[in-house]
Amino acid sequence: MLGLAKRIKAKILQASTSEVYGDPKIHPQNEEYWGNVNPVGRRSCYDEGKRCAETLFMDYYFQNKVKIKIARIFNTYGPRMHPNDGRVVSNFIVQAIQNKDITIYGDGSQTRSFQYIDDLLEGLIRLMNTGDDFTGPVNIGNPNEFKIIELAEKVVKMTNSKSKIVFKSLPSDDPTQRKPNISLANKMLNGWEPKIQLDEGLDKTIHYFKSIIK
Ligand code: UDP
């Protein structure tokens, strides 16, 4: 794709990820942080794959001046997620609507900062409209941080579910905390900041899943 972008002089976006920070030792994470990634763990193919993609994008920029943009996308959710997507927001909502057990991996004390899809899209559009000298990487996420157990309790309450919360084993190398520093996005993307906070976004997403799940 980078070769094609070079040939036809296209602008190209790398949808990178907060996973490049691994299990971060600094909090919140800013773009200067190089991350804390296990190169040989169960999550490594994703983390290192995305890190390598960022490297290749930068090399095409350094060597060939390809018009690249790198967005580090933090946990994003919203309507039209697949019910079997497997990520936490869709899992919890689908389980709650069906009154099935809510599966927390670990003790639920790990944190994530959840971004509603519309905020991400606005950020990406603004990023694509920046000048060619701005490559990123730039964090695009919502800094409002929640424990996974808080998310579970919120979803149960908002769906009036009879679901029980159960605890399963924690996958290896599951990051303990994650929260974006979005100062760079705010500065470079015309004052961009997330507009939809978790309660409102969950409400829209619950509404969607109720409409597709009998
Ligand atoms: N998680 C959970 N139950 C689930 C799915 C995920 O407790 O049914 C946890 C998972 O272990 C992680 C967090 O929720 O700590 C976010 O997981 P997700 O896969 O959504 O995103 P990522 O780990 O890539 O940030």
Side-chain angles (χ1 to χ4, degrees), residues 130-175:
T130 54
D132 292 346
D133 53 341
F134 183 65
T135 59
V138 59
N139 291 337
I140 303 191
N142 186 325
N144 267 345
E145 185 183 12
F146 293 86
K147 292 191 170 125
I148 294 303
I149 190 142
E150 289 176 320
L151 176 72
E153 285 162 354
K154 214 179 241 305
V155 168
V156 169
K157 195 163 166 208
M158 290 177 77
T159 51
N160 283 321
S161 175
K162 297 188 184 64
S163 295
K164 280 199 323 279
I165 292 178
V166 299
F167 297 88
K168 306 259 180 192
S169 58
L170 187 68
S172 59
D173 297 330
D174 197 281

Side-chain angles (χ1 to χ4, degrees), residues 18-19 43 46 75 85-89 91-92 95 102-106 108 110-112 114 148 151 170-171 174-175 178:
S18 52
E19 286 278 330
R43 292 173 90 96
Y46 186 62
N75 298 67
D85 175 286
R87 279 176 291 167
V88 70
V89 173
N91 273 12
F92 285 1
Q95 290 163 344
I102 307 275
T103 54
I104 290 188
Y105 304 156
Q110 71 271 37
T111 70
R112 295 292 186 275
F114 298 103
I148 294 303
L151 176 72
L170 187 68
D174 197 281
R178 185 183 288 152

Side-chain angles (χ1 to χ4, degrees), residues 59-109:
D59 285 347
Y60 267 77
Y61 172 73
F62 293 139
Q63 218 165 35
N64 306 113
K65 283 277 162 262
V66 171
K67 291 179 252 175
I68 65 147
K69 307 285 177 193
I70 301 173
R72 290 186 178 155
I73 300 170
F74 282 64
N75 298 67
T76 304
Y77 68 96
R80 303 201 201 158
M81 286 181 90
H82 195 281
N84 297 327
D85 175 286
R87 279 176 291 167
V88 70
V89 173
S90 46
N91 273 12
F92 285 1
I93 293 176
V94 170
Q95 290 163 344
I97 290 173
Q98 298 178 329
N99 293 311
K100 291 185 177 158
D101 289 350
I102 307 275
T103 54
I104 290 188
Y105 304 156
D107 63 5
S109 64

